[in-house]
Amino acid sequence: MSFAAAAFLAGFALLALPWWLHRRDTHRPDPQVVSSLLLLRPGEAPEQMRKTLRHRWLMALRMLLFAVLVLAFAQPVLRERLVPEVGTPRVPQLIAVDTSLSMAADFAAARQRAHALIDGLPPDVPAAVVGLDGDITVAAPLGTDRQALHAAVAGLRPGNGRLAFEGLSERLTVLAGSTREPVALHLISDFQRTALPAQFNALVDGAQGPIELHPVPPAGPNWRVEGIHVDRLVTVAVRGFGTPERSLDVRLDGPSGELGRRSLTVPADGTAHASFPLPPRSDEDVWLEAVVDAGDALAVDDVGYAVVRRLDAVPMPMYVAPTAAAQAEYLRVGIAAALPRFQPAALDQSGPVAVALDPADLPAQDRQALERHLANGGAVLMTVGPATRRAARVPLLDLPLEEGARDGEPRRVVVADRTHPALAGTADWSAVAVSRYLRAAPAAGTVLLRLDDGAPLLLEHPAGAGRVLLLLTALDPAWSNLVTTAAFVTWLADAVGHLAEDTLPVTALAGETLTIPSASVQVFDASGRRM
């Protein structure tokens, strides 16, 4: 047994309180009768009292109550035996080893842990070995051949993918071939924060048996190229994980060779940025490579890639309600930073993506323009605001609304579909807090983001031949802090790129799913050779 909040065990010191209270009762000595006090010298004799424990059963009950309260706050966790004892039914053992990119720092420790688990199994208990690298790879099916299991573990190699743990337990249980009988699951991983679900229940949801987590400690401090932002400058972000403050050199390369070199100081467990001049625009896309000279255990993430797109202006028709002036300003700044090719335009212009900010009071002419846009297969990015709240309905979709949380009650954001192209970037939603939003039934739409109270926040809804991406809060700090977080620009790039069916991002992580709406695709490498 262990404790989730062991610090509360210090509360056992409170057991002294009932004991002290029950010793407050005192007993005076019995008086002694003497014949006469006339011959005694007057004086004040010291009074002696003896403290005794009284009502001992009551004291015991009170101490027991304090002990139960302390244990409740300490949250004891009972560890079940995953390996059955002799005479008990055989429980299949599923050993899942994380083979994602981050495990390359010290994959030997993961292998060693898996070998130890196999050696500890009774001979007649079946076991399987799988590798987790975005997808699930069966290295050894369920069986009792221990040599095959050891060989499967020895053959595992860390890849370039990214692992997400949400819903993983259910997928692994089904893979084991049993959805009714219990399957003991062992997860060996470094359990990166970015891969874990927002709620722990999502990690174990769907499991049919006990789960044991085997954390692999990091091999040491790690620096990585966090991202490359291409705008008027090329900005390279370098982030440290478990790192001290250190000065590092960053180099930016392009097709013609080295474009520049910068030295920057990365704070402890922090992020620093290095800026480079933008290479000349050309008629073709230009690739960039950023390299940080970190010399850490995980060298593969010391390199980052990006693409400088050719700048073809794309009109973005916009409707801005009088109540959405602040939203429009934040959106224009975000679009300029994330997708400079898209230029805000009037609704009478044609473009793949239109924007409607708080459009409850749409004039008839603007409503018809947006409806024609959707009927022709276009997409609309829509937000709500004060006008939509008063109308209690979402235009174009005709969804009923009711007011959600009030001011002063911020809600966290939970990603409902991590694989959707509109959320394909590396945006960190943990810092986003929503204090005002509107509730809507998803109807025929798909929920992409939720709040921690279960309310939908981002919906993709079909409309005519097109689709609407509906954000049920405003791009306004009075409603949420989204526009002031790093997630805003990344999300805009993903969302608008998805709606415009321009889904290939400027940067992407290996193992991500890229949805390309085409019947056929040609892939070329950096040198222009078709792959």
Side-chain angles (χ1 to χ4, degrees):
M1 183 177 68
S2 60
F3 296 92
F8 282 100
L9 294 177
F12 276 116
L14 296 175
L15 296 181
L17 181 60
W19 179 84
W20 177 75
L21 289 174
H22 282 263
R23 280 184 55 86
R24 293 184 62 188
D25 294 334
T26 58
H27 176 69
R28 296 175 181 272
D30 295 333
Q32 300 294 325
V33 180
V34 297
S35 59
S36 175
L37 300 177
L38 293 177
L39 299 178
L40 295 179
R41 178 180 298 173
E44 295 183 359
E47 183 178 8
Q48 296 182 352
M49 293 181 292
R50 181 165 53 90
K51 295 182 181 288
T52 59
L53 287 174
R54 304 186 63 183
H55 308 292
R56 299 189 179 187
W57 280 108
L58 179 60
M59 180 190 69
L61 289 175
R62 287 173 173 171
M63 296 179 75
L64 179 62
L65 175 62
F66 275 106
V68 171
L69 288 175
V70 170
L71 288 175
F73 277 100
Q75 302 178 40
V77 178
L78 298 178
R79 296 184 178 271
E80 300 184 41
R81 285 186 57 87
L82 296 185
V83 179
E85 297 178 354
V86 177
T88 62
R90 299 188 307 166
V91 178
Q93 308 287 305
L94 188 58
I95 301 173
V97 183
D98 183 356
T99 58
S100 62
L101 177 69
S102 62
M103 294 293 290
D106 190 10
F107 195 68
R111 280 204 195 97
Q112 184 178 3
R113 182 58 179 163
H115 286 306
L117 287 173
I118 296 172
D119 290 335
L121 294 176
D124 60 340
V125 173
V129 175
V130 298
L132 307 176
D133 183 7
D135 295 327
I136 300 176
T137 302
V138 179
L142 277 174
T144 58
D145 187 349
R146 298 297 180 251
Q147 291 185 353
L149 294 176
H150 282 297
V153 171
L156 292 175
R157 297 289 186 276
N160 293 323
R162 178 178 180 271
L163 176 63
F165 286 94
E166 190 165 356
L168 181 63
S169 301
E170 184 175 10
R171 294 163 58 198
L172 288 172
T173 300
V174 174
L175 182 69
S178 171
T179 57
R180 297 180 180 179
E181 298 180 359
V183 176
L185 175 59
H186 301 263
L187 285 178
I188 304 174
S189 172
D190 56 358
F191 296 101
Q192 294 186 92
R193 184 180 62 85
T194 56
L196 293 176
Q199 298 180 352
F200 182 78
N201 287 346
L203 177 61
V204 299
D205 189 30
Q208 301 297 321
I211 297 178
E212 185 170 350
L213 307 182
H214 303 272
V216 177
N222 181 58
W223 289 268
R224 80 172 188 190
V225 177
E226 181 78 358
I228 304 174
H229 178 62
V230 179
D231 191 9
R232 294 174 179 84
L233 295 173
V234 179
T235 304
V236 179
V238 179
R239 183 177 177 184
F241 297 86
T243 55
E245 181 177 324
R246 180 179 169 185
S247 295
L248 297 172
D249 290 333
V250 180
R251 188 183 76 250
L252 185 67
D253 296 335
S256 59
E258 184 175 320
L259 300 177
R261 189 183 295 265
R262 299 286 186 274
S263 179
L264 76 165
T265 300
V266 183
D269 287 316
T271 303
H273 299 82
S275 296
F276 299 86
L278 188 67
R281 297 281 186 176
S282 67
D283 295 335
E284 301 294 335
D285 294 344
V286 176
W287 63 268
L288 300 176
E289 179 183 87
V291 182
V292 57
D293 185 14
D296 51 30
L298 189 62
V300 66
D301 64 354
D302 296 345
V303 182
Y305 301 91
V307 174
V308 180
R309 293 267 176 87
R310 57 184 183 183
L311 191 58
D312 297 330
V314 178
M316 177 181 284
M318 290 183 62
Y319 169 79
V320 181
T323 56
Q327 294 196 58
E329 187 62 29
Y330 281 107
L331 182 67
R332 287 190 178 95
V333 173
I335 291 295
L339 297 163
R341 296 189 301 154
F342 288 83
Q343 304 295 324
L347 280 181
D348 57 357
Q349 296 192 32
S350 176
V353 181
V355 175
L357 303 179
D358 197 15
D361 300 327
L362 270 169
Q365 183 178 358
D366 294 336
R367 178 186 296 273
Q368 292 172 3
L370 287 172
E371 289 175 347
R372 285 195 305 270
H373 176 75
L374 290 171
N376 293 329
V380 174
L381 175 62
M382 186 189 305
T383 68
V384 299
T388 312
R389 182 175 59 184
R390 288 193 302 269
R393 300 194 79 80
V394 176
L396 304 179
L397 298 178
D398 198 29
L399 289 180
L401 292 175
E402 58 177 295
E403 187 172 357
R406 300 174 181 173
D407 293 337
E409 298 179 359
R411 299 287 185 183
R412 294 188 304 107
V413 177
V414 178
V415 179
D417 186 357
R418 296 179 183 272
T419 64
H420 196 278
L423 303 173
T426 57
D428 183 8
W429 292 94
S430 61
V432 178
V434 180
S435 57
R436 189 184 301 172
Y437 61 95
L438 303 179
R439 291 181 180 268
T446 303
V447 179
L448 307 183
L449 293 176
R450 292 186 183 274
L451 298 178
D452 57 5
D453 63 351
L457 180 65
L458 182 66
L459 302 174
E460 186 177 31
H461 209 287
R467 51 197 168 149
V468 174
L469 195 63
L470 173 62
L471 183 67
L472 289 166
T473 188
L475 301 178
D476 190 329
W479 287 62
S480 76
N481 69 342
L482 172 62
V483 294
T484 61
T485 65
F488 179 54
V489 173
T490 304
W491 171 70
L492 271 183
D494 294 334
V496 175
H498 164 63
L499 293 177
E501 296 188 345
D502 183 14
T503 55
L504 291 179
V506 173
T507 59
L509 292 178
E512 288 183 10
T513 300
L514 303 180
T515 302
I516 304 174
S518 302
S520 62
V521 176
Q522 293 186 20
V523 180
F524 297 85
D525 63 11
S527 63
R529 185 179 66 254
R530 188 167 64 182
M531 299 172 62

